[in-house]
Amino acid sequence: MYFCTGLGKASTKPTWAFDYSASAPIYLLLSPVKNPQGISTSNSAMPSSSPSLLSSPLPSPATLFSKKPPSLRAERRAVRVVATAAAAAPVAAARAGPSAAEVARTVVELAPSGTLSVVGPDGWPLGVGARFVADAAGAPALCLAASGVAAPDARSSFHVEFRQSGARTPQCTMIGTLTKPSDESVLKKLSTRWQKKFGEEVDQHLLYLISVERILHMENFNEDGMWVVPSEYTGAEPDPLRNFAENIVEEMNSKHAEDVHRIYNIYVESDFQVADVKMIWVDRLGFDLHVHSGQGVFSVRIPFSREVSDEKGVKSSFNMMSHHAWEVEKSYSSPEFEKVQFLKKVR
């Protein structure tokens, strides 16, 4: 005869007792009872917790009795749902970043000023700094008050750079012709953009546009440049996270440094001792880390499992990756993705 008793809230399956004295089996199934006194389900039983940007449920204490529990609790299932999204196989690091055209558009949108270079009447090149805004196609509109610099239809170049977290300086140089816009609608739109970016009105008589004919993009100082086709530049969209990317990076480094280190340890394959890990930039496809070690400073790109388009999405992605990294770190699950193996030495 078989008897079934349900003991313990920690299990949703019945517990079987066996009596082989009977010749014919009789099955008796009793529903599991509530948690008896003496079995603690306090969260204080957990050895550690995973810090995260957003509050999410962590495994219940019952699941910590075994690295591979026989059943999943509601809390455990909630974490697994989160981790599954984060564990989706990311694309290769080389394809995980935005294109050079998109980076150039983003730099032009973010940088407040640049350097205009023209050839003066005496044949010598002359460079002056100028504030600017970008029109709808990404062409810089400069406010030039210096006499002898603004020469309509003059061949010129405009160099723009943007410092990311004090660690990297993506930049682009646009080569084209300096023109004087005369269309009132164009001037009005540029004035509106100027007001929005700098909080002040601009003298429309001092506005000049550069017709972009060639673009040279560089990821950082001392790196090879890449020429960008003008049609790709004008067709590219600036990164949607650009206006709050620096704030997210600062928050991750200052308030969630443990998450940054944990994500690096789980998602990156490396064989050297790490002294420090800092996030330097985040965009719609992933984020960049600078890894400090005794062998130098390395840059590594970690892709998101899916593209993000707003602040809520990027924080959710970081939260999911942190949870999954925490599970792998505690041996509650195995990494279900291919680790990033490409690290570039930057200094």
Side-chain angles (χ1 to χ4, degrees), residues 42-328:
S42 171
N43 288 337
S44 61
M46 293 183 64
S48 63
S49 62
S50 172
S52 59
L53 288 174
L54 302 177
S55 177
S56 297
L58 293 177
S60 64
T63 64
L64 303 184
F65 296 152
S66 173
K67 292 183 179 179
K68 294 183 177 180
S71 62
L72 299 178
R73 309 299 176 267
E75 295 90 346
R76 180 67 170 174
R77 287 197 298 269
V79 172
R80 291 305 300 143
V81 170
V82 169
T84 300
V91 297
R95 296 184 287 112
S99 66
E102 183 178 341
V103 174
R105 283 297 304 269
T106 302
V107 169
V108 170
E109 290 285 339
L110 290 175
S113 62
T115 302
L116 174 70
S117 298
V118 296
V119 178
D122 55 0
W124 287 91
L126 178 65
V128 295
R131 291 192 298 173
F132 75 99
V133 293
D135 68 5
L142 290 63
C143 181
L144 298 174
S147 58
V149 175
D153 301 324
R155 299 175 65 185
S156 60
S157 68
F158 190 61
H159 180 77
V160 182
E161 61 186 40
F162 181 77
R163 183 171 292 274
Q164 293 177 344
S165 305
R168 184 174 62 189
T169 308
Q171 51 198 279
C172 60
T173 302
M174 286 157 283
I175 299 175
T177 303
L178 197 65
T179 62
K180 187 73 173 74
S182 57
D183 190 295
E184 289 296 330
S185 63
V186 173
L187 288 171
K188 185 177 181 179
K189 291 179 181 179
L190 293 176
S191 299
T192 301
R193 288 174 177 262
W194 194 280
Q195 174 71 33
K196 183 178 180 180
K197 187 171 184 178
F198 297 109
E200 63 184 34
E201 295 184 358
V202 63
D203 187 347
Q204 295 183 2
H205 298 289
L206 302 178
L207 284 177
Y208 290 82
L209 272 171
I210 293 183
S211 59
V212 180
E213 299 175 11
R214 298 181 70 189
I215 305 100
L216 178 64
H217 165 70
M218 294 178 62
E219 189 67 22
N220 200 6
F221 294 119
N222 302 322
E223 294 193 13
D224 293 335
M226 176 186 300
W227 288 101
V228 178
V229 179
S231 60
E232 294 181 357
Y233 174 79
T234 57
E237 291 289 337
D239 186 75
L241 310 185
R242 64 188 182 278
N243 292 325
F244 50 84
E246 284 190 302
N247 292 336
I248 291 179
V249 169
E250 175 63 26
E251 180 181 354
M252 290 297 295
N253 287 330
S254 61
K255 299 181 180 180
H256 306 283
E258 185 178 350
D259 278 304
V260 175
H261 281 257
R262 180 181 290 115
I263 289 173
Y264 166 78
N265 291 333
I266 299 302
Y267 283 82
V268 179
E269 185 74 47
S270 64
D271 57 357
F272 51 77
Q273 292 291 332
V274 174
D276 194 18
V277 179
K278 292 290 186 181
M279 187 177 296
I280 63 171
W281 191 250
V282 58
D283 54 56
R284 65 185 180 88
L285 298 177
F287 53 97
D288 299 296
L289 303 178
H290 268 191
V291 184
H292 299 257
S293 71
Q295 301 176 4
V297 179
F298 296 82
S299 176
V300 60
R301 174 76 179 184
I302 301 181
F304 290 135
S305 60
R306 62 180 183 273
E307 182 177 333
V308 298
S309 59
D310 53 27
E311 188 170 6
K312 182 179 179 180
V314 71
K315 287 189 174 184
S316 176
S317 293
F318 279 136
N319 196 35
M320 290 187 294
M321 294 179 75
S322 174
H323 270 304
H324 184 61
W326 180 83
E327 283 198 325
V328 175

